[in-house]
Amino acid sequence: MDTKDKILEEYIHPEGMEVKMKAGWINGRGVVLILMVVIIGGWLFNYIWGKGSAFDSGHQLGYAIKYIGIVCILFGFAGYILIQYAVLYYFSGRDRHALQWKMDQGAWRFLLVKPMALKYYRVALLLPFLVMGLLPMLHGFCMGNPLVYYFGGYCLICSSNDFWYFLKLRSFKDEDKIVDGKRSFNATIIKETY
């Protein structure tokens, strides 16, 4: 019994339970996702909608990096930040002081300063991943549109950090409250009951 109490004291703080994700772990998963989306997804897209030759694969990849990459970077990043801000702003009771802009090695994002219910925070994490990443990628793949496909793939990669963070937070109840820490992907969960 002594050991169990000692372990609980390490993880339970008076203000709540701390949840941390290391930037190296998140970025490592991001590299794997990049390889899957760019190499396997690009090859599969070209195989189905292109002629399937090695020249076409290289041509499509160069096209994606040169032209589509610039558009994806600009519009994808701006759209991701706007969606995240709008959702967090709405669910925080339209209080702009509840959000703080943070740029660090983990991500560029808005952090919560005031507690928010975890069910709303989960929506803010998944909405850019689904709306700007997964759905356009599937639409572009099904319709054979390389611009929409690569845009969705880029946004999927950029918002994958939020998806991993969502998976980390799934063990907590919807009624629990969350306050972000001083770094991205570090938060304090204020549980309703311990």
Side-chain angles (χ1 to χ4, degrees), residues 139-152:
H139 174 73
F141 186 78
C142 292
M143 301 305 280
N145 187 340
L147 179 65
V148 176
Y149 178 74
Y150 287 117
F151 177 77

Side-chain angles (χ1 to χ4, degrees), residues 3 12 23 26 37 42-43 120 126 137-138 165 167 169 178 186:
T3 310
I12 296 176
I26 292 174
V37 169
W43 176 80
Y120 301 129
L126 282 184
M137 190 174 173
L138 289 174
Y165 196 45
L167 293 178
L169 296 174
I178 186 168
N186 292 336

Side-chain angles (χ1 to χ4, degrees), residues 117-147:
L118 200 54
K119 61 183 172 183
Y120 301 129
Y121 192 76
R122 288 176 178 150
V123 170
L125 288 176
L126 282 184
L127 200 61
F129 180 80
L130 294 174
V131 170
M132 292 188 62
L134 192 62
L135 293 178
M137 190 174 173
L138 289 174
H139 174 73
F141 186 78
C142 292
M143 301 305 280
N145 187 340
L147 179 65

Side-chain angles (χ1 to χ4, degrees), residues 10 22 28 79 115 120 130 136 155 159 176 179:
E10 290 177 13
K22 295 181 181 179
Y120 301 129
L130 294 174
C155 292
S159 61
D176 295 340
V179 177

